[in-house]
Amino acid sequence: MKIVLNGEPIDVDARTLGELCRMQGYGGAKIATAVNGQFVPERARATTRLSKTDHVEIVAPRQGG
Amino acid sequence: MLDKPATKPAADEQPQLDLYGRKIRSRLLLGTARYPSPEILRKAITASGAEILTVSLRRESANEKSGQRFWDLVKTLDCHIMPNTAGCRTVKEAVTTAQMAREVFETSWIKLEVIANDDTLQPDLIGLVEAARILNEDGFDVFPYTTEDLGIAEKLAEAGCRVIMPWGSPIGSGKGLNNVFGLQTLRSYFPDFPLIIDAGIGAPSHAAAAMELGYDAILLNTAVAKAGEPVRMAAAFAKAIKAGRTAYESGLMEPRDMASPSTPVAGTPFALK
């Protein structure tokens, strides 16, 4: 299934956002997620199903002004 | 031999700043971006005495880990964290970023930026008010990055904001206070409202001038991070901000158009009576 992850088109086998985070190597990392512009809290990742063409954002802490 | 004057911890004697129920002693809020190294960032924060640090969220690949390392460093500094929505161009982007930041940083504080123009980084004031209303209703403590526009400040207050953060001049420009009259008007109109100058401060003298106007605090980043010696510059800003606040509390003299001799005129030698 093709989705867009952080602006890059990718092929994924993940069925849920939780699986995607794990399969992409984010397990245990301090991250936040959004799908198609909507915030998805950590507790909802496992039940948030992904569909083709979904736009997923995975972000982490960064320096800021 | 003269007695030594009593040492006065001036900073401790200054009234604390209340930001959404948190008592803050340092009136310098510091950004964490653009420093030469994490170690210089850490030392600059210590030298500044800042109790509030701004941070952001950015895309990061799982292998990169720099964000995780940055967060590990920030956690050791025992400061309040103020995440921002820097770079957001729409209300939806800003609201979603704020929601993500609340989860990651475990704080209801959000420095709300909705940017209208890439060259000036001027805030989209209409979008800002709308986003502020949404976030305030969602339980956030919103610190809106705005201009000195009085009408917008009123709308932000009506939307539930209890702090206003007007720019001095465009972000990263170092131009100081572009519209002193407008900033004075805002201060006069909101006498009891925490007002923080956010953006455009380039020199400690700019910060001191803002504090002398009665502003409650200064949020800055680039002027310290891009200084030749960021750690010393952080200390310089801390002193300037304390001096400006003390001056404001002490009551500045009224300026005059004409000179007024400070030395008594009566008894001036050689003068004709």
Side-chain angles (χ1 to χ4, degrees), chain A residues 19-32:
Chain A
E19 284 182 13
L20 177 71
C21 292
R22 205 162 44 250
M23 292 165 76
Q24 290 291 317
Y26 290 101
K30 193 84 171 168
I31 58 167

Side-chain angles (χ1 to χ4, degrees), chain B:
Chain B
M1 187 175 159
L2 293 172
D3 290 338
K4 281 186 179 177
T7 303
K8 290 185 178 179
D12 292 344
E13 289 180 358
Q14 291 181 347
Q16 293 185 346
L17 182 59
D18 187 326
L19 299 175
Y20 288 106
R22 287 187 190 172
K23 297 288 192 294
I24 306 297
R25 187 168 295 137
S26 172
R27 293 172 182 271
L28 167 53
L29 290 65
L30 198 60
T32 56
R34 310 184 74 183
Y35 290 80
S37 72
E39 182 59 12
I40 291 176
L41 165 63
R42 189 186 63 74
K43 288 180 176 174
I45 292 168
T46 302
S48 74
E51 297 167 67
I52 299 173
L53 305 178
T54 56
V55 299
S56 71
L57 286 175
R58 286 293 181 264
R59 291 168 171 172
E60 179 174 274
S61 71
N63 300 327
E64 201 175 339
K65 306 286 189 199
S66 63
Q68 309 299 323
R69 287 194 293 275
F70 166 67
W71 181 235
D72 289 341
L73 167 66
V74 168
K75 281 189 297 188
T76 66
L77 298 170
D78 194 29
C79 290
H80 299 295
I81 299 302
M82 187 191 294
N84 68 30
T85 63
C88 291
R89 300 291 301 265
T90 66
V91 172
K92 184 177 180 183
E93 286 177 7
V95 168
T96 300
T97 300
Q99 291 167 332
M100 292 195 289
R102 179 164 60 180
E103 182 176 77
V104 165
F105 297 111
E106 300 175 23
T107 177
S108 57
W109 281 16
I110 191 72
K111 180 189 168 189
L112 180 60
E113 298 183 31
V114 185
I115 298 299
N117 180 283
D118 286 337
D119 290 327
T120 63
L121 297 179
Q122 183 158 2
D124 168 2
L125 299 175
I126 297 167
L128 178 71
V129 172
E130 186 182 346
R133 180 170 287 109
I134 293 168
L135 292 172
N136 279 312
E137 288 174 356
D138 192 19
F140 282 87
D141 297 321
V142 179
F143 295 75
Y145 159 66
T146 183
T147 68
E148 67 279 6
D149 188 297
L150 178 57
I152 293 296
E154 286 183 296
K155 290 186 186 307
L156 289 167
E158 287 167 12
C161 295
R162 292 294 168 263
V163 178
I164 304 286
M165 300 207 301
W167 66 356
S169 50
I171 294 171
S173 70
K175 295 280 190 183
L177 308 181
N178 263 358
N179 182 359
V180 171
F181 173 75
L183 292 169
Q184 282 176 316
T185 303
L186 194 62
R187 179 70 284 178
S188 299
Y189 205 80
F190 288 96
D192 302 318
F193 217 87
L195 297 179
I196 300 172
I197 294 290
D198 175 14
I201 297 296
S205 55
H206 300 156
M211 297 303 290
E212 288 171 4
L213 292 179
Y215 273 75
D216 292 284
I218 308 291
L219 198 170
L220 59 90
N221 187 154
T222 307
V224 169
K226 302 306 275 185
E229 296 183 46
V231 178
R232 293 183 71 196
M233 187 61 81
F237 268 105
K239 290 175 184 170
I241 289 167
K242 282 179 190 169
R245 180 66 189 180
T246 303
Y248 171 71
E249 291 174 354
S250 303
L252 292 156
M253 65 167 281
E254 287 294 323
R256 296 165 51 97
D257 289 332
M258 301 299 286
S260 173
S262 50
T263 302
V265 174
T268 303
F270 314 117
L272 294 174
K273 292 197 174 177

